[in-house]
Amino acid sequence: MSESKPRDVQVLPIALDTTILRSRSWNRLRFEIEYALERGTTANSFLIAADQIAVVDPPGESFTEIYLTALQRHVDPKQINYVILGHVNPNRAATLKVLLELAPQITFVCSNPGAIALRSALPDVPLTISIMRGTPDEVLDLSKGHQLSFIPTPSPRYPDSLCTYDSKTQILYTDKFFGAHVCGDQVFDEGWSVLSEDRRYYYDCLMAPNARQVTTALEKIAPFTVKFYAPGHGPLVRYGFTELTHAYQNWSQQQKAQDLSVALLYASAYGNTATIAQAIARGITKAGVAVESINCEAAESTEIQTALEKCNGFAIGSPTLGGHAPTQIQTALGLILSTVPQDKLAGVFGSFGWSGEAIDLLEGKLKDAGFRFGFDPIRVKFTPTDVTLKYCEEAGTDFAQALKKAKKVREPRQPATTLEQAVGRIVGSLCIVTTKQGDVASAMLASWVSQATFNPPGLTIAVAKERAIESLMYPGTSFVLNILAEGKHLGLMKHFLKPFAPAEDRFVDVDTDTAPNGSPILNQASAYLECSVSGRMECGDHWVVYATVDRGKVLDPEAKTAIHHRKTGTHY
């Protein structure tokens, strides 16, 4: 999405004495995988103006100036008593520093890990901090009935996470929970079903690797009578409240029920290694393997050891600080070398500024110990780009597929049943789906393709969840369907069937042109269709993508369409 509007702040009352300040960006904003759908985002902050005044979750530095300008139109900063923080990071600290200059009397309200992070982010600034641990007697009384309770909801990515409940308005301020990265004028989620894709994608990126912690958080908030959720990003959750709560429960149970799991260990000095870990986790979970994500900076050794004992494979990531790995990563490495069997699949990743000794250390120690790697060590200098994150996601998927393949080898193969043989008699045309978005391009061989509608002309494609191209086929994206010609299809089929390394160029030595929608056209195809994704539906281990056809052309009028015949319904 290109920036079609300038960033702004939308300010509206949402409940008694309560106002939302939605800082809006209409483009991607940040190179983190949860922003990859490029639908923009909102950073939601809230003003509770009773006899005492509290500000909940000021935004990051991308919005500092416009946010503080909007805030000062509604309240004199010197009258603000409290700033409540759902989490603290360096990005948000930039806004807090400027806010403190306007209102030095502020008391910050946060969790104990949040207080540690806040002092680290603002080391030379005098701070007044009230730490909330979530005990029943901890109530912040703003008067007029606004009594605030606090619920710590830590996760590996956000160990300082804190939800806030206002008993007067029955609003639960959920920070990272129940959000979506989508920008628009709609403050509440009327017609919430149109947000389902964005909310699911947000969950898959941010929450799925922390399913155990998500379940614990849901149990903690269940006793509260809540009118609506006020998340840090996207529309407020009122009309789809019950459905989204149940969805978080179901999605988390699905993650925990997977029979294969990966322990993902990391530390992150500036957030870059955590972003890489998140992209790897996304690739693993989309392939049907669970992730137990562990931030070694906030975890006890017993928690790390338990995860390593239960997992089928592990990956460990580290920044390089002063030429070394942080102490917590060295401790985790020691646990791996002393307790983990060498037949478990391993992975190494990390970020660095000027050198990458920590990554070299991890790779060398694990290699010397006899571990086999599920992907080549990932070294990222400074901040990862969208191309880097796509590479990390595909590396995670490869890691998961290697675990699944090893599991199949251990299990005796059963002959196809009559049902499976019958399903295999369903045939489909052989096609290559190609797409390019920004600097990221991908392709896949497809045979589960069917025309779906006459008006508008439309088709469906079944895409396996672990396919690299899956994350590029969401509503609003475009692709080209290249239909292969009988008798001339084997070369292209062989090329696109081969395994590609993460982020490897799929189009090397392939004769292509570029369609108006930016996707590659294969010149050896018999015909092609330019398509726009309108919707998709989750169906077991596949997504069924529905797309409308914008343009098309027959390249070989004499050719017949290549057809794929199968012997069983359990394989393509």
Side-chain angles (χ1 to χ4, degrees), residues 103-156:
Q105 78 285 347
I106 284 172
T107 295
F108 290 102
V109 179
C110 55
S111 65
N112 189 50
I116 295 170
L118 185 60
R119 292 189 181 101
S120 175
L122 300 172
D124 301 320
V125 180
L127 301 172
T128 303
I129 301 175
S130 180
I131 295 174
M132 297 297 170
R133 294 180 168 81
T135 58
D137 59 331
E138 283 181 340
V139 175
L140 183 61
D141 190 352
L142 303 181
S143 78
K144 294 186 178 180
H146 295 278
Q147 294 190 328
L148 307 186
S149 303
F150 301 92
I151 309 133
T153 52
S155 69

Side-chain angles (χ1 to χ4, degrees), residues 289-571:
V289 173
V291 169
E292 178 72 14
S293 185
I294 296 179
N295 184 341
C296 295
E297 296 169 286
E300 299 290 338
S301 295
T302 52
E303 180 185 356
I304 297 172
Q305 184 157 348
T306 299
L308 289 170
E309 290 172 351
K310 290 165 43 180
C311 73
N312 302 94
F314 67 90
I316 182 169
S318 176
T320 297
L321 303 176
H324 302 282
T327 301
Q328 299 94 331
I329 290 296
Q330 296 186 39
T331 299
L333 177 62
L335 290 171
I336 291 169
L337 296 175
S338 62
T339 64
V340 178
Q342 295 166 352
D343 60 349
K344 289 191 178 182
L345 202 62
V348 169
F349 61 94
S351 63
F352 58 94
W354 306 107
S355 59
E357 291 92 344
I359 308 165
D360 297 334
L361 167 72
L362 296 175
E363 179 187 8
K365 291 291 187 182
L366 294 177
K367 187 177 291 184
D368 291 345
F371 286 99
R372 182 170 59 91
F373 290 88
F375 52 79
D376 291 334
I378 297 174
R379 296 174 170 83
V380 178
K381 191 170 184 179
F382 301 120
T383 303
T385 65
D386 57 346
V387 174
T388 303
L389 294 182
K390 182 63 176 170
Y391 174 91
C392 295
E393 180 184 323
E394 292 182 21
T397 298
D398 285 354
F399 193 95
Q401 289 174 332
L403 290 177
K404 293 165 77 173
K405 184 177 180 180
K407 183 174 182 290
K408 284 184 179 179
V409 169
R410 293 192 298 269
E411 296 175 348
R413 186 171 181 176
Q414 302 297 325
T417 65
T418 55
L419 170 62
E420 292 166 348
Q421 292 175 31
V423 173
R425 296 303 190 269
I426 300 173
V427 298
S429 55
L430 278 171
C431 304
I432 307 293
V433 181
T434 59
T435 187
K436 185 174 184 182
Q437 297 176 32
D439 295 325
V440 178
S442 194
M444 77 168 191
L445 180 68
S447 60
W448 293 4
V449 180
S450 178
Q451 184 171 349
T453 54
F454 288 127
N455 187 22
L459 53 87
T460 60
I461 303 174
V463 183
K465 289 181 176 178
E466 69 264 22
R467 291 294 188 101
I469 203 172
E470 176 272 336
S471 57
L472 302 177
M473 297 184 72
Y474 276 82
T477 62
S478 59
F479 63 90
V480 165
L481 183 71
N482 300 271
I483 304 164
L484 302 188
E486 185 180 68
K488 301 179 182 179
H489 65 285
L490 291 179
L492 287 173
M493 183 177 175
K494 182 178 180 181
H495 175 83
F496 287 101
L497 268 178
K498 72 180 182 181
F500 290 95
E504 182 180 349
D505 186 351
R506 269 74 168 165
F507 302 101
V508 172
D509 299 326
V510 178
D511 182 17
T512 64
D513 281 328
T514 302
N517 67 13
S519 300
I521 297 170
L522 306 184
N523 289 325
Q524 293 181 23
S526 66
Y528 70 88
L529 302 171
E530 293 181 57
C531 305
S532 297
V533 179
S534 294
R536 51 188 248 164
M537 179 173 66
E538 186 174 12
C539 300
D541 53 7
H542 282 65
W543 291 97
V544 173
V545 175
Y546 171 70
T548 55
V549 180
D550 304 316
R551 286 171 294 273
K553 185 177 181 181
V554 176
L555 302 177
D556 186 351
E558 304 301 321
K560 292 183 178 181
T561 300
I563 302 296
H564 181 46
H565 294 272
R566 298 178 296 153
K567 294 182 178 180
T568 173
T570 59
H571 304 287

Side-chain angles (χ1 to χ4, degrees), residues 131-382:
I131 295 174
M132 297 297 170
R133 294 180 168 81
T135 58
D137 59 331
E138 283 181 340
V139 175
L140 183 61
D141 190 352
L142 303 181
S143 78
K144 294 186 178 180
H146 295 278
Q147 294 190 328
L148 307 186
S149 303
F150 301 92
I151 309 133
T153 52
S155 69
R157 183 70 191 271
Y158 302 103
D160 56 343
S161 180
L162 186 73
C163 293
T164 301
Y165 177 74
D166 185 345
S167 61
K168 178 70 174 181
T169 59
Q170 297 182 336
I171 298 172
L172 183 67
Y173 300 94
T174 58
D175 194 36
K176 288 295 181 180
F177 285 91
F178 307 115
H181 285 302
V182 57
C183 189
D185 295 327
Q186 193 172 325
V187 175
F188 286 92
D189 61 340
E190 301 96 332
W192 59 268
S193 60
V194 301
L195 298 166
S196 296
E197 286 278 357
D198 299 285
R199 286 173 167 171
R200 174 63 186 272
Y201 185 81
Y202 180 93
Y203 173 92
D204 286 345
C205 291
L206 272 183
M207 303 294 166
N210 314 312
R212 179 168 56 85
Q213 290 86 356
V214 171
T215 300
T216 300
L218 293 173
E219 292 170 351
K220 286 183 176 182
I221 67 177
F224 292 86
T225 301
V226 179
K227 278 190 177 178
F228 61 85
Y229 296 136
H233 303 288
L236 307 185
V237 185
R238 172 185 278 171
Y239 300 96
F241 175 89
T242 301
E243 290 81 3
L244 187 58
T245 304
H246 289 162
Y248 263 57
Q249 293 169 337
N250 293 336
W251 295 335
S252 298
Q253 288 301 324
Q254 289 170 15
Q255 286 297 318
K256 294 192 296 181
Q258 301 290 357
D259 57 355
L260 293 173
S261 68
V262 174
L264 189 64
L265 318 178
Y266 66 89
S268 190
Y270 304 104
N272 294 331
T273 304
T275 298
I276 297 166
Q278 188 176 323
I280 293 171
R282 168 68 176 140
I284 294 171
T285 56
K286 70 183 279 187
V289 173
V291 169
E292 178 72 14
S293 185
I294 296 179
N295 184 341
C296 295
E297 296 169 286
E300 299 290 338
S301 295
T302 52
E303 180 185 356
I304 297 172
Q305 184 157 348
T306 299
L308 289 170
E309 290 172 351
K310 290 165 43 180
C311 73
N312 302 94
F314 67 90
I316 182 169
S318 176
T320 297
L321 303 176
H324 302 282
T327 301
Q328 299 94 331
I329 290 296
Q330 296 186 39
T331 299
L333 177 62
L335 290 171
I336 291 169
L337 296 175
S338 62
T339 64
V340 178
Q342 295 166 352
D343 60 349
K344 289 191 178 182
L345 202 62
V348 169
F349 61 94
S351 63
F352 58 94
W354 306 107
S355 59
E357 291 92 344
I359 308 165
D360 297 334
L361 167 72
L362 296 175
E363 179 187 8
K365 291 291 187 182
L366 294 177
K367 187 177 291 184
D368 291 345
F371 286 99
R372 182 170 59 91
F373 290 88
F375 52 79
D376 291 334
I378 297 174
R379 296 174 170 83
V380 178
K381 191 170 184 179
F382 301 120

